[in-house]
Every structure is written in structure tokens, then in C-alpha cells.
Amino acid sequence: MEKTLTVTVTGAAGQIGYALLFRLASGEVFGKDVAIDLKLLELPMALPALEGVKMELDDCAFTNLNSITTTDDLDTAFKDSDWALLVGSVPRKKGMERKDLLNINGAIFTKQGLAIENNAKDNCRVLVVGNPCNTNALITKSKCQRIPSKNFFAMTSLDEQRAISQLAQKSKVHHSKITNMTIWGNHSSTQYPDFYNAKIAGKGALEVIGDENWLKTEFITTVQQRGAAIINARGASSAASAASAALATIKSLITPTKEGHSFSVAVSSSEAKHLYGIDEEVMFSYPIKSDGENWEVIPEVELNDFSREKIKATYEELLSEKKAVSDLLS
């Protein structure tokens, strides 16, 4: 192997963790010439289940899998991490207010942020999957002064993939024909899937579909509420699709973006140079391109009044979340 990467996964025995670990270990994500040291973090009560996952990983005998560490200790989990995938979080339960969820998870991500700061490699990259992921990422980033702010991300690729699927079904084309499907803002019911700038086989999505009312109503609502619909249907939240989206995010960040294309991920608005009127520091999803090493927000995307209003609404929600956890931000 040409090099070895240490990849930390939290909540590793959960459904999302289980769905992504085998693909990470197989060489699919970082390449066949990269060996992977997996560091898997779980709560003490979940360690027996995590040992079972480790046994399955061992039994696969993946060529790229160099070692597996299972632990409930934060310092051990994040020691020398090149990538930290923060998957585990407390889900929202019946009767729980959003502020309650933010504060409970805020305490978790505060501790993880400090452990990353104290143990991970200087250029560690951190992808937050556990919800509410944008604000969890903001909290985590606030605890890390040594690691560059540009190395923190919150996942909105799942929303992008959901939007792509809806456009593909409506236009009766393969999903590979859908490009530049940007998710703006928060991974929540206020997110804005920007159909005006999306392309279907190189043409504008609105031009191809020809039903602006459907795009402004049913399409947006379906994407925004897809997570809740899946919970209602299967009795559990998205797992395999969330894992797939997390891995797609990593691949998008480490692979040069095709000319004229973009992908969605939430990044620090200050690192994004506060484009598109996002003036205060939040983790905000933009259209992004990468050269394989560094990312940047695509500037000067044309926005009409409808789009600007949607972007404003999701930004205001993120500001509200930030205010709710202001005592956790350093």
C-alpha cells in the first residue's frame, strides 16, 4: 500500500455505522492503494455489539483493512485520526423539543471536539453525520483551535441524493443525468433543494420538467420531509442511504470535481467567505467544488427572489440553533 489512513467512526455499531464500515474497509472510498486503520467508538453498553461488527470485518479479510480498534474511550478513538466520521448522536424522541435535542447532542459533540483537538492529526478532516449535523459540526469545530476550520463538514449529500432521485423519477431519466443539484443551508425541513440551477442531461431542470408549481411545492416538500417519511414507513431512520451519502461526501471532497459540476456539503460560512449573504458563522450547505485537496464555494450562482427567500429561511433557522447552544460555543 502506498499510504495508510486512520479513520475514526463514532456510533460504529449503529445502523449507519454498520452500513458504511465494510465499504470503508474495502478500499472503495480512499482507493485500492490506501490501507485503512479503523478506530471504532461506541458507548460502553454497545461494546459487545461492536465486537461482533469487528468479527465480521475480520472475516471479510479485506486487503485494504490494516487494523481495527474498538473502544469507548474518546482519546483512544481519535488518536492520530486522518478522518473522523461523527455518526453517533441522540435521536429526537417523542415530546422532545428541538432545543432539548441540540443541548443533549451539544454536550456529546463538545467532548468529541475536545478529543479531536487533543489527539487527531493536525490536518484531520471531520464529517458530522449525527443530527442536527450542521450545529453539531459548529460545536465540534468551536473546540478545535489546532485543526483548520476548513476541515469541518456537515452532511447534506443525503438531501442532494434524495432531490436527484425525485428529479430523475419526474423527468423519467436515469439519476446519473442529474447534475448541479445544490442543497442550500441546514440539513432539516428548511433546507432548499435548488431546482432552478439543477441540470437534467445538460438542460435546466425547469425547462425539462416544465412544471414550476410542482418543483416549488411537492418537490421541495418531498425532499425536506423524506427522512420523516422513511421513519413512518420502516419504523427507523435512514441508515443505508445515510451511510452511502456520507461516503459519497468523502469521495466528492478527495476527487477533483468535473468542470461545470458541483456537490453539496455544509462548510464553515467564514471559510466560504460569507458568500450569498451568510454573514454570521454557521455551518451552511453550498454548491462546492474540489481539486481533490482543497474545496471552494462556487461563486456567483444566479438566485431569483424565490431562492433567496428560501436560503434566508434556512439561514435564520441555523442562527436560531446557534443561539440555542451559544453557551457551548467557545
Side-chain angles (χ1 to χ4, degrees), residues 279-299:
D279 299 321
E280 190 170 331
E281 172 65 359
V282 292
M283 295 295 290
F284 197 88
S285 183
Y286 301 89
I288 303 288
K289 65 179 179 179
S290 173
D291 64 6
E293 292 289 336
N294 299 295
W295 60 265
E296 63 178 297
V297 175
I298 295 176

Side-chain angles (χ1 to χ4, degrees), residues 105-116:
N105 280 303
I108 294 169
F109 285 84
T110 292
K111 293 177 181 177
Q112 291 183 0
L114 291 170
I116 291 168

Side-chain angles (χ1 to χ4, degrees), residues 23 56 59 111 155 158 171 203 213 223 225-226 254 272 309:
R23 293 173 64 184
E56 285 201 75
D59 292 348
K111 293 177 181 177
M155 187 181 77
L158 179 56
S171 59
K203 296 181 180 180
N213 182 63
V223 177
Q225 299 180 3
R226 187 68 165 183
I254 65 175
E309 195 63 32

Side-chain angles (χ1 to χ4, degrees), residues 88-91 100-110 131-132 136 139:
S89 66
V90 176
D100 299 328
L101 182 68
L102 286 164
N103 283 322
I104 291 170
N105 280 303
I108 294 169
F109 285 84
T110 292
N131 286 319
N136 287 341
I139 293 167

